[in-house]
Amino acid sequence: MEIDASMDFVKNWDNAAIEQWKLTNNEYAVLSNVPLSAKDKGVVSPIAVEVPRQCDIKIGSEGVPLFETHANSKAIGITQPLLSCTYSPSFVFSKCHYQTNVPQDPFAVQLLNTEQFPHFAQLWTRGYDAYTPAFNLVYKDN
């Protein structure tokens, strides 16, 4: 699992994440989404029916593909994880072999926005698939 340092988990998040991962029926599934703000945790139900997700990729000033740092779309009312074309390093849940097979680039330290797309490409070309979970498992403290 990868998360940002400032995360708040839903109750029983660990069992819920495992169940969501199992629903993909994919050994190489990676659950990932841009977490909602913790201030939205009380506004939306604890297990929200609207899950933020990234769907757009932009080309940065140096020609490098970049993911937005915020969600630019959402999955609404899904009952199982939804295959995604992006991922967010703010929340990643998968089997441990993901960390071994798709290591972080040691030369991209401190380049979060620039490193995201190459890491996602590495994830995908090694057979992993990113999924948006059916509900919010973590929230970002602001």
Side-chain angles (χ1 to χ4, degrees), residues 20-30 83 94-95 97 127-131:
Q20 284 289 294
W21 183 86
K22 286 180 180 178
L23 284 172
T24 67
N25 199 27
N26 180 349
E27 175 71 16
Y28 295 94
V30 175
L83 193 60
S94 63
K95 281 209 163 176
H97 54 69
Y128 290 85
D129 294 313
Y131 292 84

Side-chain angles (χ1 to χ4, degrees), residues 33-36 51-59 66-76 84-88 132:
N33 71 296
V34 177
L36 282 172
V51 183
R53 61 186 268 149
Q54 295 169 306
C55 293
D56 293 339
I57 299 168
K58 67 178 185 176
I59 303 299
L66 301 171
F67 293 134
E68 296 286 342
T69 56
H70 63 280
N72 51 25
S73 186
K74 54 187 150 185
I76 301 172
S84 182
C85 63
T86 65
Y87 95 118
S88 171
T132 301

Side-chain angles (χ1 to χ4, degrees), residues 54 119 135:
Q54 295 169 306
H119 187 75
F135 52 86

Side-chain angles (χ1 to χ4, degrees), residues 22 36 38 42 44 48 50-52 60-61 63 72 81 85-86 92 96-97 101 111 113 115 120 123 141:
K22 286 180 180 178
L36 282 172
V44 188
E50 292 185 2
V51 183
S61 60
N72 51 25
C85 63
T86 65
V92 178
C96 293
H97 54 69
N101 296 336
L111 300 174
N113 291 341
E115 189 270 340
F120 178 75
L123 173 153
D141 291 333

Side-chain angles (χ1 to χ4, degrees), residues 2 64-67 87 89 102-122:
E2 295 174 25
V64 177
L66 301 171
F67 293 134
Y87 95 118
V102 188
Q104 297 293 332
D105 183 347
F107 300 105
V109 178
Q110 311 269 335
L111 300 174
L112 178 63
N113 291 341
T114 304
E115 189 270 340
Q116 282 179 290
F117 187 84
H119 187 75
F120 178 75
Q122 186 182 28

Side-chain angles (χ1 to χ4, degrees), residues 1-46:
M1 180 169 74
E2 295 174 25
I3 58 168
D4 284 348
S6 58
M7 291 296 168
D8 187 21
F9 295 87
V10 296
K11 187 175 182 178
N12 298 319
W13 71 270
D14 49 351
N15 292 328
I18 291 168
E19 289 306 313
Q20 284 289 294
W21 183 86
K22 286 180 180 178
L23 284 172
T24 67
N25 199 27
N26 180 349
E27 175 71 16
Y28 295 94
V30 175
L31 297 176
S32 182
N33 71 296
V34 177
L36 282 172
S37 169
K39 67 181 180 182
D40 295 327
K41 189 174 181 183
V43 176
V44 188
S45 69

